[in-house]
Amino acid sequence: MTNLQRSYRSSQLISPFGPGSIIDIGDESLILMDISHWPRNLEEIKLDRLTKEAGVWSLKKPPVVKQRWGHVHKENSLTTYRFPRWMFCPKCRYLKQWKREDTTNENGIPICGNSACTKRTLVPMRFVAACNKGHLQDVPWDLWAHMKQGKKCSAPKEHLYFQTVKNQGSGLGSLKVTCRNPGCGASNSLADIMNEKALPIPCSDRQPWEFKEGHERSCDEPLHVLQRGASNLYFPVIRSALDIPITVSSTGNPIINIIGETDDYFDLKRALENGKEKVARSYAEELAEEFDFSVEEIINAVSNNGEASREFKIPKDEDLRLAEWEILSKGDPRSLQTTTFKARKAKWEGEKTFGCENLIKQVVLLDKLREVRAFCGFERISPSDDIIPMKDTRTKYSWLPACEVYGEGIFIEFNANALNEWENLESSFITPRLHEVERRCGEMKSTFLPFPSPKFIMLHTFAHLLIRQLSFESGYSSGSIRERIYSSEGQAGILIYTADGDSEGSLGGLVQQGEANRLFPAIIAALETANWCSNDPVCSELDSQGVMGLNKAACHSCTLISETSCEHNNLLLDRKLLIGENGEHGLFSSIMNQVSEGHY
């Protein structure tokens, strides 16, 4: 174990440093364990429609140290596991598989046992092995060193060294693992370590921190060797929902419906989860006295959660956003205000809209919003349907780690009829342009990306361009502004919002930019900027670019934004759908032509 401590924001422990991720603390490489190893008594977050869609009973915040210099203990912190366990000394280059009984310094950090190395801190190997089903393990360096050796070594793990070969350049071929056991002398370079099927061993069928007595391996996926800092080693699966003024009952039990919003109910529920029967009965007695139910009726109702069961599932974004669309696009949002939701329609009368009123139906300004983000699991190697779900084996009441953030936003609803008319009129331009992207998406095993319809790609790209422009005008950093795309059947809109764990998310500057006298000039400026990219003509003429070739005319110089701001991994983007080619075919082409000719 290590005594080193590092603090993170609660939201960072949901993403990007959620369970299953490798994090670096000082000279150490550690992996965060799943929620079975988290503290039991965590603060709950209430958002009923998200818990119901996920099939769990509650959402809980990561533990926090409430005071800056507060004492850190097991109930307000998370435990990590040292990984990878194969480490080497940067001085003598001795390579070993670290064990708990090995030598450490006063902070619990592994050090070299060679006296000549003067307690030099051991460095973790930078390569790990993973499979497509999300399992992770060490590279067996003893096996790798002896892979090309014909005879058997008497001590394959005791005399290994990780060396650099002179005059071999800086590639993996200049690195090798050597066995100095007398009579062996086996050696193997790392030139082929990342090749497909480089490791001829079965997957361990588990995570590094898991130990299963008598566990039989059942995973037949091949192992892939990756660098431990590789971006494709860890994909967190996050689902978020806005706290909007709708009522969704989480239970069908009339007792739960009555007592479910009281503090005593949640205290009773937590006591039952932890097996504290006497404490639970005291809360039940207080509720029984207040609501005229018997103690047994209340305990039975809470024990059964008011429902027979809930089955965990990964919620679909389109299901979560259906209710949000209904609230944001229909009626008067002022009549639906709550303590966490305050919205109003932007007024356009007398303002210059540059012709955008033909494409944009309405703009809603959200002066206050609350977003809850739940960590549902993670994937490795490539996004697929092989998700490692979050399960707490200590309790029958399923839950997910989550964080809540507050902010402000601008909701822009497009005219659906205008979009349909554009798609039909310009189909000869749009269809062949998106054919390759649609083909590549169709070949993917994963469903983590939506179907690349012209409407979705247009909305997604528009959101990116507007975020880039608003980051200059609002005072927010681009990484503090996020997107939310509404493109399902009957929907056509975007939400540009800030949602952060501190004041960065609620300074008021973004809503101010949503007023008509600022928003429409910002839209025109964003589109004018998108007309030219420093990588043109390459960017605009490439058949495909980006990860898996899922982008068209979109690169870091013109369209991409921070990974934390985009909900679709900076994929499915094409600025040409907005600005067109040679002043034609794009959704905003006619507007931009009028602007360039000085008619506005």
Side-chain angles (χ1 to χ4, degrees), residues 260-326:
E261 294 300 319
T262 65
D263 291 335
D264 285 337
Y265 163 73
F266 292 99
D267 292 334
L268 169 57
K269 182 178 175 182
R270 188 176 295 109
L272 288 171
E273 289 178 1
N274 296 331
K276 298 179 179 179
E277 295 182 4
K278 290 184 179 180
V279 176
R281 192 167 187 83
S282 67
Y283 287 123
E285 290 172 352
E286 293 182 16
L287 289 168
E289 183 177 347
E290 182 177 356
F291 294 102
D292 198 26
F293 294 116
S294 71
V295 173
E296 286 69 24
E297 286 176 330
I298 291 176
I299 290 179
N300 289 335
V302 177
S303 296
N304 296 326
N305 286 283
E307 295 180 12
S309 64
R310 282 191 181 182
E311 185 176 349
F312 171 75
K313 63 179 180 179
I314 306 295
K316 294 182 179 180
D317 282 327
E318 53 266 32
D319 294 338
L320 290 170
R321 294 180 190 190
L322 181 60
E324 297 172 10
W325 173 261
E326 292 296 323

Side-chain angles (χ1 to χ4, degrees), residues 68 107 124 140 142 157 231 594:
R68 184 172 183 178
N107 290 320
D142 54 327
K157 292 186 177 183
S231 59
Q594 294 290 318

Side-chain angles (χ1 to χ4, degrees), residues 10 48 68 70 115 122 132 183 266 286 337 383 407 470 502 562 590:
S10 293
D48 203 34
R68 184 172 183 178
S115 59
L122 296 183
N132 280 314
F266 292 99
E286 293 182 16
Q337 296 193 22
L470 291 177
D502 55 17
S562 168
S590 61

Side-chain angles (χ1 to χ4, degrees), residues 55 73 86 122 150 160 180 238 273 291 305 315 321 332 401 404 434 440 451 544 564 594 598:
H73 50 81
W86 278 95
L122 296 183
L160 295 179
R180 295 184 183 176
I238 309 296
E273 289 178 1
F291 294 102
N305 286 283
R321 294 180 190 190
D332 181 12
E404 59 180 346
L434 300 185
R440 290 173 183 266
F451 177 74
S544 62
T564 58
Q594 294 290 318

